[in-house]
Amino acid sequence: MDEIFTRIEHARTSDEVVHQIEGLILEGVFRAGDRLPGERELSRRFDVSRPILRDALKALETKGLLVSRHGGGTHVADIIGEVFTRPVRDLVATHKKAARDFLEYRRELESIAADFAARRATEDDRSLIAGIVMRMEDAHARSDFEEEVALDVELHSAIGECAHNVILLHTLRSCYRLLADDVFVNRTLIYGLPGARDDLLAQHRTIAEAVLAGDPPSARAAVRAHIDYVERAKDEAERSEDWQKVSRLRRMQRTGTETRKSVGSTH
């Protein structure tokens, strides 16, 4: 953790501390919910007095970037949720066109992110991505569906971070919040399709390998193929669910009719 915060070298003012913490949030080093070290530790790392640090933390709270929890320390605020407010989320979740637009949006932005990541990823970035893929493979082998789905979002998010474009990073984070909450796409249904878990793992591996190899065109193509697959699988899963509902209702109705007929014939 000592490498994250840089000692304030010149004018030791709260503005310098504010600027540094803002940069860490902007660059995605800190994510929503991350806890900052305690006041004494932070003042030591920044090499500023505790009154200066308190002023900086207060300014960041006023800006809505940090939140203090009674007895629980200071945490990075959930600023991603501001992008899609609850009324907007509820509105788009009930319209099918929004789901199509969401996948179209992901296809284009994630293609750009993967292209940038393939060009710009550092050794640390590549290690991060490779580690996530290893965890995905492990979760897949153990049939740990919940972890597999969570790592799906984590991989896409990590590639967005490795693109090293802060606007793209925060735009994608808002997108992945919707993905994680299954606002548009019920991933439980998609992962439940025959062969889908194997297909999705292979697609995620292909995307990661293209980024790790520094191959922008292949990274773009892998993302587009993945989103195309998700779109087709979503439609298939929804049709299958509708068919099952109709079949269940048909069986219930006919079984009920036959039962009533049977009861009637005994009189």
Side-chain angles (χ1 to χ4, degrees), residues 17-255:
V17 177
V18 167
H19 184 73
Q20 189 175 144
I21 294 178
E22 283 180 338
L24 293 169
I25 294 173
L26 185 63
E27 292 287 356
V29 176
F30 283 138
R31 298 187 288 184
D34 283 352
R35 181 175 179 174
L36 270 61
E39 186 179 291
R40 179 181 299 174
E41 180 64 14
L42 266 183
S43 64
R44 182 187 69 80
R45 294 187 187 184
F46 283 123
D47 192 20
V48 297
S49 68
R50 292 176 74 172
I52 285 177
L53 179 68
R54 290 191 200 106
D55 287 344
L57 297 180
K58 185 65 177 177
L60 289 163
E61 282 189 53
T62 301
K63 291 184 176 188
L65 296 174
L66 296 180
V67 292
S68 292
R69 300 173 185 171
H70 183 66
T74 301
H75 298 254
V76 177
D78 183 5
I79 57 175
I80 297 174
E82 301 293 328
V83 179
F84 287 98
T85 61
R86 174 57 61 181
V88 174
R89 285 160 58 93
D90 291 343
L91 181 63
V92 297
T94 55
H95 290 76
K96 287 192 173 182
K97 181 183 184 301
R100 292 194 298 271
D101 288 350
F102 174 68
L103 288 172
E104 181 178 71
Y105 170 89
R106 281 191 62 194
R107 183 184 293 110
E108 298 307 317
L109 263 69
E110 289 187 29
S111 295
I112 295 171
D115 182 303
F116 285 1
R119 298 174 189 274
R120 301 172 177 176
T122 66
E123 191 59 39
D124 286 330
D125 291 334
R126 288 190 286 271
S127 177
L128 173 67
I129 291 172
I132 294 172
V133 172
M134 286 180 62
R135 289 160 57 202
M136 292 180 86
E137 291 174 339
D138 179 63
H140 183 81
R142 291 184 286 105
S143 297
D144 188 335
F145 170 74
E146 288 189 7
E147 185 175 357
E148 201 168 0
V149 170
L151 289 168
D152 178 335
V153 177
E154 188 170 342
L155 177 64
H156 287 292
S157 182
I159 290 173
E161 292 170 351
C162 298
H164 292 283
N165 179 300
V166 295
I167 303 302
L168 188 58
L169 165 65
H170 290 281
T171 304
L172 285 170
R173 277 191 174 177
S174 68
C175 168
Y176 296 141
R177 174 66 59 83
L178 298 176
L179 176 62
D181 292 346
D182 284 338
V183 172
F184 295 115
V185 180
N186 188 333
R187 291 176 301 150
T188 302
L189 285 178
I190 291 178
Y191 270 84
L193 291 172
R197 289 179 62 244
D198 291 336
D199 291 342
L200 290 167
L201 177 63
Q203 290 161 22
H204 287 132
R205 189 187 295 117
T206 300
I207 295 169
E209 287 174 351
V211 171
L212 296 177
D215 186 345
S218 294
R220 275 182 175 266
V223 166
R224 300 186 76 85
H226 170 59
I227 300 300
D228 288 345
Y229 176 90
V230 170
E231 195 166 34
R232 291 193 304 271
K234 171 183 171 296
D235 291 340
E236 182 180 342
E238 289 176 350
R239 285 199 305 270
S240 176
E241 186 181 35
D242 288 341
W243 294 340
Q244 290 176 18
K245 286 180 181 177
V246 171
S247 298
R248 190 178 303 111
L249 291 172
R250 186 185 298 126
R251 180 179 60 80
M252 290 170 59
Q253 172 62 17
R254 293 184 182 176
T255 301

